[in-house]
Amino acid sequence: MNLVQFGCEDWLNNWEKSAKIDIAQSTISSLTLEDILNLEPDSGVAILEKLKKETFSYGWIEGSPQFKNEVSKLYKNIKTDNILSTNGATGANFIAVLGLIEPGDHVIAEYPTYQQLYDWPRTLGAEVDYWNVYEEEDWHPRLEELRALVKKNTKLICINNAAQPTGAILNTVFLKEVVEIARSVGAYILSDEVYLPLNSEIDYSPIADLYDKGISTNSLSKTYSVPGIRVGWIATKDDFLVNNIRKIRDYTLICTGVFDDAIAALVLKHKDKVLCRSRSIVLNNLAILKAWVENEPLVSMIYPDMVSVSFVKFEKLAPERTEEFAEYLLKEKGVLIVPGNRFDMPGHARIGYCTDEKTLRTGLELLSEALREFK
């Protein structure tokens, strides 16, 4: 097996611990354990007492009934048996693709986006065609191009909704067209939905609700602000795939852990409060980001619609020097971003604007300084 280096993760692994000002992350400012416990009326006293007496065995292999029940509320009619806990959304994508793809299969992947969605199927021996996104069309792909790409042996279509790193959202009307194209050849659709949009006016649907061969993957890591427990899930109506994934979990994961499961279930139990907090952070920080872009002539941006990632374009920087500039920014200013070439989109950079306000303001100010100083 010859895995391609994971560009974004490799960059963060190398640099995130040395940054003084981190505006690279895509999580909405992470919750503390105290924050999570305070979601309960008794500030988590009862839950902590229960956990103190908990036997730390393997626990519920596929996720506890409490966890699976809370996840099921995020969908219209996915039975709890068809919800499986995973090691984050990355783990969910990994085993979902592994459960489907064999050498010679044809896969179509939105591109560029989260690298795992196209390089992992290729590693397993699939022929992967790119369904390109277009900056001039608000980072959306074109349906007519998808229709031209599908083949009789197309096994899987991979999308990221909302998308990493652009924040682009494919609405329900668009997704229904994608479903019809997939249905015409019997293909599955895998939708990584970890960046849940926070704009309630958006016509947004999980793919598992729209298609019997739709696979929704998600986690607590981004919109729910709890990446540290590494809990995600797979939701699908397809019984064959679920049973195949059960087998794979025995080889790769077994379970997500008693403590992690309990915290995940608690966060989802109080998802309205958690999402209200996330929405407040996004609204406040997006206004700061927009004001910076509008007053900074060296950049431009297609703004995310209340999604926790944003993708800035450098107007004067030579695209081939994107990573060189990002290293300069880190070493000279202490500011971490993710250069766009790590998503196969040089000339841009991912900015995680949903950090705390002081970090964001300082990071953007220093980013402007660096753009003028870099030679």
Side-chain angles (χ1 to χ4, degrees):
M1 182 177 290
N2 184 24
L3 272 172
V4 176
Q5 185 69 57
F6 206 128
C8 174
E9 299 306 321
D10 178 58
W11 172 265
L12 292 174
N13 291 343
N14 286 333
W15 298 115
E16 64 182 343
K17 296 304 181 185
S18 60
K20 296 177 181 177
I21 305 293
D22 188 346
I23 55 170
Q25 308 302 327
S26 55
T27 293
I28 297 175
S29 188
S30 296
L31 292 163
T32 65
L33 180 57
E34 183 178 29
D35 292 333
I36 296 168
L37 293 173
N38 282 337
L39 295 169
E40 288 281 277
D42 67 350
S43 298
V45 172
I47 286 172
L48 281 178
E49 286 303 311
K50 182 180 178 182
L51 282 171
K52 286 178 184 178
K53 296 177 176 62
E54 188 75 55
T55 299
F56 273 60
S57 62
Y58 283 98
W60 294 89
I61 298 302
E62 296 181 2
S64 68
Q66 294 83 3
F67 171 75
K68 295 179 80 167
N69 183 57
E70 292 299 336
V71 172
S72 71
K73 295 175 184 177
L74 304 175
Y75 306 94
K76 290 181 179 178
N77 56 354
I78 303 295
K79 57 187 179 182
T80 55
D81 278 352
N82 283 28
I83 293 166
L84 302 176
S85 64
T86 62
N87 181 26
T90 302
N93 294 335
F94 182 91
I95 61 177
V97 172
L98 188 59
L100 282 173
I101 297 305
E102 300 176 7
D105 284 339
H106 181 238
V107 173
I108 300 169
E110 188 179 2
Y111 178 85
T113 185
Y114 192 50
Q115 184 178 338
Q116 185 188 35
L117 298 178
Y118 45 89
D119 273 338
W120 179 226
R122 182 182 290 112
T123 301
L124 295 174
E127 173 196 358
V128 179
D129 280 329
Y130 291 150
W131 185 24
N132 293 306
V133 300
Y134 293 91
E135 186 172 12
E136 64 271 22
E137 296 178 26
D138 295 339
W139 296 117
H140 282 71
R142 297 169 179 167
L143 287 167
E144 61 269 25
E145 293 187 1
L146 180 61
R147 293 188 182 97
L149 287 171
V150 293
K151 304 177 181 180
K152 291 182 179 179
N153 70 327
T154 300
K155 186 78 163 288
L156 177 65
I157 298 170
C158 293
I159 61 176
N160 191 194
N161 196 29
Q164 151 93 290
T166 64
I169 300 166
L170 307 179
N171 65 27
T172 302
V173 173
F174 189 97
L175 287 178
K176 286 181 177 179
E177 292 291 333
V178 176
V179 166
E180 290 309 309
I181 294 168
R183 185 178 281 124
S184 71
V185 293
Y188 286 85
I189 303 174
L190 170 62
S191 179
D192 180 333
E193 295 163 354
V194 72
Y195 296 104
L196 176 72
L198 288 162
N199 185 347
S200 60
E201 297 181 1
I202 292 175
D203 183 18
Y204 178 87
S205 299
I207 200 67
D209 282 340
L210 297 180
Y211 185 35
D212 55 356
K213 286 190 172 184
I215 309 158
S216 289
T217 61
N218 208 329
S219 82
L220 278 295
S221 297
K222 306 300 182 182
T223 306
Y224 295 98
S225 302
V226 195
I229 60 173
R230 305 307 304 130
V231 174
W233 62 87
I234 293 171
T236 182
K237 297 174 185 174
D238 191 274
D239 294 330
F240 169 80
L241 178 60
V242 167
N243 288 329
N244 215 23
I245 289 171
R246 283 191 171 97
K247 299 175 189 176
I248 295 170
R249 287 178 83 263
D250 290 340
Y251 282 88
T252 59
L253 175 64
I254 300 180
C255 65
T256 54
V258 172
F259 181 82
D260 293 343
D261 182 283
I263 296 301
L266 178 59
V267 170
L268 289 174
K269 174 186 174 183
H270 294 288
K271 63 181 176 294
D272 290 343
K273 293 180 183 177
V274 174
L275 295 180
C276 182
R277 170 189 180 270
S278 294
R279 192 172 291 109
S280 176
I281 292 170
V282 168
L283 282 171
N284 180 71
N285 288 17
L286 188 55
I288 295 169
L289 180 68
K290 286 181 176 180
W292 174 72
V293 172
E294 289 163 9
N295 288 282
E296 177 49 82
L298 298 181
V299 304
S300 63
M301 181 181 289
I302 297 168
Y303 298 118
D305 194 348
M306 296 188 69
V307 174
S308 65
V309 287
S310 65
F311 208 46
V312 66
K313 183 176 183 178
F314 299 126
E315 292 293 343
K316 303 295 183 181
L317 181 67
E320 64 273 13
R321 300 191 71 193
T322 305
E323 184 155 327
E324 183 185 352
F325 169 72
E327 289 189 17
Y328 172 88
L329 176 65
L330 180 64
K331 292 174 181 177
E332 298 299 321
K333 304 293 182 179
V335 177
L336 182 67
I337 58 175
V338 182
N341 56 288
R342 293 295 178 133
F343 301 99
D344 294 342
M345 287 188 274
H348 300 77
R350 186 179 85 180
I351 294 180
Y353 70 97
C354 292
T355 183
D356 65 275
E357 182 176 331
K358 181 180 178 182
T359 296
L360 177 62
R361 288 186 183 278
T362 303
L364 295 176
E365 180 181 346
L366 293 172
L367 176 53
S368 286
E369 287 182 12
L371 284 168
R372 284 160 176 78
E373 296 169 4
F374 182 68
K375 303 298 181 183

